[in-house]
Amino acid sequence: MKRHGIILFGHGARDARWAEPFERLAGKLRATRGDPVSLAFLELMTPDLPGAVAAQAAEGCDTVTVVPVFFGQGGHIRRDLPEIVERCRAAHPGLKIHCATAVGEDDAVLDAVAEYCVRQVGE
Amino acid sequence: MKRHGIILFGHGARDARWAEPFERLAGKLRATRGDPVSLAFLELMTPDLPGAVAAQAAEGCDTVTVVPVFFGQGGHIRRDLPEIVERCRAAHPGLKIHCATAVGEDDAVLDAVAEYCVRQVGE
């Protein structure tokens, strides 16, 4: 059976509580699908992306979609992430690895953020 | 007339394109309200939060809500931001400054991100 994993890719931070929304997001996705959903971080937290990709390959995924959970697309997404993904592809030549645009570029995500802002001012 | 400004507070980055989602978000909010909406950054981009607060005070705001456009709440939000907000309050004693929880803590925002992830895997 073909399995299609999702890896939520975040920046990482020193404070463990920083990862809470990422864990909640992974939980929401796991509640709706049977294939693996995991987290990976650029720095300061583990696993890194190569580790998360290797784990999903070991779980039988033939395809992995990496979703950058970032608002803006700066150097981390435009330069660092493609290099890491290329290394992952070289390490797992049988695995298809797709890389999505950062979630902050999605209009529906921005609409939800705008609605949150409006709720905060009590209008 | 009382004016209630919104300041979207982001991390900042070296690449100017990083700020595009923040600008789109500000545009969405400006389309729905007449009071000021502006951006402010922790580092690498301008204006900083004290500059944005001063500008909204000069525009006649008596209340400003700062919304951290971050997913996770690490040191930047738990330690740096409260210190900056306290400095802004000291500089503008007549201004009410509210500080919201980071947008990534909002369940509807996370739902929108989860839906985006599902669309990326084509399910």
Side-chain angles (χ1 to χ4, degrees):
Chain A
M1 196 183 76
K2 293 187 175 186
R3 308 190 83 194
H4 187 155
I6 296 177
I7 297 178
L8 303 168
F9 179 68
H11 186 281
R14 283 181 185 80
D15 187 329
R17 296 171 295 179
W18 181 88
E20 285 167 10
F22 297 82
E23 286 156 7
R24 282 173 60 202
L25 179 59
K28 284 175 183 289
L29 287 163
R30 287 185 192 118
T32 64
R33 63 199 310 277
D35 289 356
V37 177
S38 48
L39 304 183
F41 302 98
L42 180 66
E43 59 188 42
L44 302 170
M45 288 178 162
T46 56
D48 61 8
L49 187 56
V53 167
Q56 291 205 349
E59 287 181 87
C61 290
D62 68 314
T63 308
V64 170
T65 292
V66 178
V67 181
V69 184
F70 284 69
F71 283 107
Q73 298 204 125
H76 290 324
I77 302 301
R78 296 178 194 268
R79 188 190 59 237
D80 301 339
L81 178 58
E83 287 176 11
I84 301 168
V85 167
E86 278 314 305
R87 278 193 278 132
C88 293
R89 287 186 178 127
H92 305 276
L95 187 67
K96 274 177 266 173
I97 306 178
H98 299 302
C99 197
T101 305
V103 304
E105 300 285 329
D106 183 60
D107 211 50
V109 169
L110 290 184
D111 282 341
V113 175
E115 284 161 22
Y116 173 75
C117 293
V118 169
R119 287 201 304 278
Q120 297 314 300
V121 298
E123 288 172 351
Chain B
M1 196 181 76
K2 293 188 175 185
R3 307 190 83 196
H4 187 154
I6 295 177
I7 298 178
L8 303 168
F9 179 68
H11 186 280
R14 283 181 184 80
D15 188 329
R17 296 171 295 181
W18 182 87
E20 285 168 11
F22 296 83
E23 287 157 6
R24 283 173 60 202
L25 179 59
K28 283 176 183 290
L29 287 163
R30 287 184 192 119
T32 64
R33 63 199 310 277
D35 288 356
V37 177
S38 48
L39 305 183
F41 301 98
L42 180 66
E43 59 187 41
L44 301 169
M45 288 178 162
T46 56
D48 60 9
L49 186 57
V53 167
Q56 292 205 348
E59 289 183 85
C61 290
D62 67 313
T63 307
V64 170
T65 292
V66 178
V67 181
V69 185
F70 284 71
F71 282 107
Q73 298 204 127
H76 291 324
I77 302 300
R78 294 178 194 268
R79 189 189 58 237
D80 301 338
L81 179 56
E83 286 176 12
I84 301 168
V85 167
E86 278 314 306
R87 277 192 279 132
C88 293
R89 287 185 178 129
H92 305 277
L95 187 67
K96 275 176 265 173
I97 306 177
H98 299 302
C99 198
T101 306
V103 305
E105 299 285 329
D106 183 58
D107 211 51
V109 169
L110 290 184
D111 282 342
V113 174
E115 285 162 20
Y116 173 75
C117 293
V118 169
R119 288 201 304 279
Q120 298 313 301
V121 298
E123 285 172 354

